Amino acid sequence: MQGFAEDSDKITLPGAGCGPIVPAHDSSAPPLRQQVFDCVRSQGQIPRVDVAKHLNVSPASVSTLVSDLLGAGLLSEVEAPREPGGRGRPPVALAVRPEAGFVVGIKLSDQTHSGVIIDFAGRTVVEASLNRPSLRSEIELLVEEAESLLRLLLDKAGMERAQLSGVGLGVPGIVDHARGMALWSPIIRGTELPIAELMSSRLGLPVQVDNDANLLTLAELWYGAGRGLADFAVITLEYGVGMGLVMDHKLYRGAHSVGMELGHTKVQLDGALCRCGQRGCLEAYVSDYALVREASVALDLHRTASGSAQVILESLYDQAKAGNEAARTIFRRAGRFLSAGIANVINLFDPSLVILSGARMKYDYLYAEDVLAEARALTLNKARALPRIEANAWGDLVWARGAATLALSAASEALVGEAGQ
């Protein structure tokens, strides 16, 4: 029988046995020192003995590693809250030293870039935004704008660039996180651009880059509704449609770091034109520009020099609220396509929670009860419990906070690894 791959692509299997073949000493769990640090950071404050219980290791092992982390200035000892009626010496807990390091998060967008500086404990130090003149531009202009935003953040915080450990960068579009490449982005002219390298060279700091939907998902994992969940999905509704997926408490990106492109799954063959250049994508029916396109045809609302897409969207929403049936039909149609997208995510990944997030959450027509009911109806629901579907209207700066968290994760991993050496 003819196969799908050439001979050179065939996988050689061993002659006997079955099951995964795992390299020696390979483990998905980080080193125990990193686990100790992560445990303390996730709890805020926690005694040594509780760290040992949480990780199911001996107190002696924890004490040795904690000594390394204290000596490196990454952890500190703090007075733990006393139990009601407690006597004697106050208990001692561990906490991350916030001033052990600082990182920057920047979200690049079509109209407004946003940025934050956070400390080593994940707390926001300062935040800022930078308006920009064009929707799509050369990579060189984006690099300049990112540096301008970084300078603005440093000025507001009264900090020097040397105090920073790294930068996390969020970009819309298809991003190869592992290689630091923007393969395609609706806000950048050109393809396969080494954006992390270009930014790092200009900013003078290590740069981690990822798709912006992944970074919003990372924010949910670290600070939001996903903190205690092993798996969940985030669907973002902004100028485009994005998705992030957490599996086993980790962000899942796919084999080539470019998966989860829900907005470019096909819902109508030979359908509406998407900004990616293909037709029939979910994004071409649900996103901002899709709604604006519909409004331009059905309601004769057109963009002018003084009328942006946002103005048209607000007008469309106001008319729908006022009872305009054509405006309601536009939202109803977009909602039905969104229902299909949500159902597809549930059928494919079976997450425990689906979070709808992004600026468009204020348009409640897109996630009204009939939309969510249709999503449930389109899901395989025989003898199974369907996941919760929640809307979370985070502010715009949460995307930048997710980007900062990407940099924080990389910086803390490096510093914790050096502790005790």
Side-chain angles (χ1 to χ4, degrees), residues 187-243:
I187 69 170
I188 309 175
R189 293 192 180 96
T191 58
E192 297 190 61
L193 300 170
I195 188 168
E197 179 183 344
L198 293 171
M199 288 286 182
S200 180
S201 176
R202 182 64 174 264
L203 303 181
L205 293 163
V207 173
Q208 301 274 329
V209 64
D210 208 338
N211 168 272
D212 56 1
N214 279 344
L215 298 181
L216 183 63
T217 305
L218 196 61
E220 290 283 5
L221 178 62
W222 278 57
Y223 315 108
R227 286 199 65 201
L229 300 178
D231 57 88
F232 64 92
V234 176
I235 297 174
T236 63
L237 299 173
E238 292 273 327
Y239 193 72
V241 178
M243 176 182 164

Side-chain angles (χ1 to χ4, degrees), residues 104-109 113-115 139 142-143 145-147 149 166-172 175 177 180-182 187-188 193-200 203 206-215 218 253 399-408:
V104 175
I106 293 176
K107 184 215 176 186
L108 299 179
S109 188
H113 301 324
S114 55
I139 184 65
L142 287 175
V143 171
E145 292 172 344
E147 185 177 33
L149 181 55
V167 176
L169 188 69
V171 182
V175 178
H177 164 71
M181 301 283 289
I187 69 170
I188 309 175
L193 300 170
I195 188 168
E197 179 183 344
L198 293 171
M199 288 286 182
S200 180
L203 303 181
V207 173
Q208 301 274 329
V209 64
D210 208 338
N211 168 272
D212 56 1
N214 279 344
L215 298 181
L218 196 61
R253 296 183 175 92
W399 303 72
R401 195 177 183 195
T405 304
L406 181 70
L408 177 62

